Amino acid sequence: MASPNGRICMRLASSLRGNFTKVLNATLNILLLINSSICLLGMPLAPEKGSYPPSSVDTLRYKMVRPLAIVRLTIIAMAWVIFVATLPISLFFCIKIVHEYKRMVVFRLGRVLQRRALGPGVVIVLPCIDEHHLIDLRTMSYDVPSQEMLTKDSVTVSVDAAVYFRTCDPVATISSNRDARVSTRQLAQTTLRNVLGTRTLSEIMSDREGIALQAQSMLDEGTHPWGIKVERVEVKDIRLPRELCRVLAAEAEASREADAKVVSANGELKASMALKEAADSIASSPAALQLRYLQTLARISTTQNHTIVVPIPSQLIRSISSHIYKISA
């Protein structure tokens, strides 16, 4: 005959066995429900017959995926249960508002939700399993610091530029690069140095638009995998050393002086030719010389001068001097 303590232990064991059986049955029912919901959603947990030749690798893969999918959906179902059970308090923490100029990338259990960015509008974030990131889609500007470099003809210049870029693929911006904006800024500096290093000083001073277009194409090609679109690159200022500025100013001044001397010489040549033609014309008519003399006197009298210059023919002076020489002899 069993002792009272033995009977108590037997009753406790039978009750625990019954409770464990109930919990196990409930767990199996939940798993079967999840499995049926997966099948209804069109997510096969085993390879379909006749779809492709079965292999040991596929069988192993599906054997591994099936429990993982069940666990994943179980966790998601538990998160929804927590969300519903804590209403309306959970609304203050789980509902996020995404503005028109932003997008939200949600990672649910480490995977991108719906494989795209969400928004604008209201987005529900489940507790404990969702991680969200907000991405601004507006155009941003970046002032490239002054870059001092050597040109192709070994001249030291300092260049300031501005880069305008925006996010075109939020998922790639989050997934492909840890900080896409900082990487874009660093790439802008190196790209500007590389582009200017292949140009001479005269090309840099005269072809700013071409330099900007080349830098934009190179930047856009490098930032496209990061989900960044470079819209524009502008060269703001090009600074030269003071010694080089003085040399260039002296060279430009000498060039301008040479051009001025050439222009003055051409003017004198044309003036001499015109004077020769006028002299030939006056020599053919003695009265024209007298008229020219009277015009000169009229011009002098208009300025209130008291000095009148009277031209004397050189032949008259020679005849008078020769006559005086004969008398003295």
Side-chain angles (χ1 to χ4, degrees):
M1 186 174 181
S3 63
N5 293 332
R7 287 195 296 270
I8 293 173
C9 291
M10 291 177 63
R11 290 177 182 175
L12 182 61
S14 61
S15 63
L16 289 176
R17 190 181 301 110
N19 292 333
F20 179 76
T21 304
K22 292 179 181 179
V23 171
L24 183 61
N25 292 330
T27 305
L28 291 176
N29 290 331
I30 292 174
L31 293 178
L32 290 174
L33 179 62
I34 293 173
N35 188 11
S36 61
S37 63
I38 294 173
C39 295
L40 291 175
L41 290 175
M43 299 172 57
L45 296 181
E48 298 179 359
K49 295 182 179 181
S51 59
Y52 49 85
S55 61
S56 60
V57 176
D58 295 333
T59 305
L60 179 62
R61 179 167 63 87
Y62 277 97
K63 285 182 179 180
M64 294 176 62
V65 169
R66 181 166 182 170
L68 291 178
I70 294 174
V71 171
R72 176 182 173 85
L73 291 178
T74 305
I75 295 174
I76 294 174
M78 292 174 63
W80 278 107
V81 170
I82 295 174
F83 173 76
V84 174
T86 56
L87 286 174
I89 299 175
S90 60
L91 295 177
F92 296 98
F93 302 96
C94 298
I95 290 183
K96 306 295 180 181
I97 298 176
V98 183
H99 295 88
E100 184 69 30
Y101 53 86
K102 291 183 179 181
R103 295 295 182 270
M104 179 181 287
V105 179
V106 179
F107 290 91
R108 177 163 295 174
L109 294 178
R111 295 182 180 180
V112 179
L113 183 62
Q114 299 182 12
R115 296 184 179 181
R116 63 180 181 87
L118 305 179
V122 178
V123 178
I124 297 178
V125 179
L126 294 181
C128 305
I129 63 172
D130 283 354
E131 179 185 354
H132 66 280
H133 301 271
L134 282 175
I135 306 299
D136 198 333
L137 301 182
R138 292 175 292 184
T139 300
M140 300 183 62
S141 63
Y142 171 59
D143 290 332
V144 181
S146 180
Q147 301 294 313
E148 187 173 352
M149 67 205 74
L150 284 175
T151 61
K152 189 176 181 180
D153 50 355
S154 301
V155 178
T156 303
V157 295
S158 298
V159 179
D160 294 336
V163 179
Y164 301 89
F165 61 93
R166 62 179 176 86
T167 301
C168 62
D169 189 354
V171 177
T173 301
I174 292 296
S175 303
S176 301
N177 199 311
R178 183 175 182 180
D179 196 337
R181 294 177 180 175
V182 174
S183 301
T184 302
R185 294 172 182 176
Q186 298 294 331
L187 185 61
Q189 297 181 20
T190 56
T191 302
L192 186 62
R193 296 176 68 91
N194 293 335
V195 171
L196 294 176
T198 59
R199 302 287 186 108
T200 61
L201 179 61
S202 59
E203 292 176 352
I204 293 175
M205 300 298 291
S206 61
D207 192 18
R208 290 191 179 188
E209 186 176 356
I211 293 173
L213 291 176
Q214 184 180 0
Q216 177 184 352
S217 62
M218 294 178 64
L219 270 175
D220 197 17
E221 182 180 358
T223 58
H224 181 72
W226 304 337
I228 300 295
K229 172 65 177 177
V230 179
E231 294 183 342
R232 194 167 185 175
V233 177
E234 291 291 339
V235 179
K236 296 194 298 184
D237 188 20
I238 300 174
R239 294 190 299 272
L240 304 177
R242 293 184 178 179
E243 295 79 7
L244 182 60
C245 292
R246 292 173 184 173
V247 171
L248 293 176
E251 182 181 359
E253 184 178 359
S255 177
R256 287 193 296 269
E257 288 180 356
D259 294 339
K261 288 180 180 179
V262 171
V263 172
S264 178
N266 290 331
E268 291 180 358
L269 176 61
K270 293 179 180 179
S272 63
M273 294 176 63
L275 289 174
K276 181 178 179 299
E277 292 178 0
D280 293 339
S281 178
I282 292 174
S284 61
S285 176
L289 182 60
Q290 188 67 23
L291 291 174
R292 183 61 181 170
Y293 170 65
L294 294 175
Q295 289 179 357
T296 305
L297 291 178
R299 185 177 300 174
I300 292 172
S301 63
T302 56
T303 57
Q304 298 180 359
N305 288 330
H306 300 285
T307 303
I308 298 176
V309 179
V310 179
I312 299 174
S314 59
Q315 295 177 357
L316 179 60
I317 295 174
R318 289 194 192 98
S319 62
I320 293 173
S321 62
S322 60
H323 184 68
I324 293 172
Y325 179 74
K326 289 180 181 179
I327 293 173
S328 62

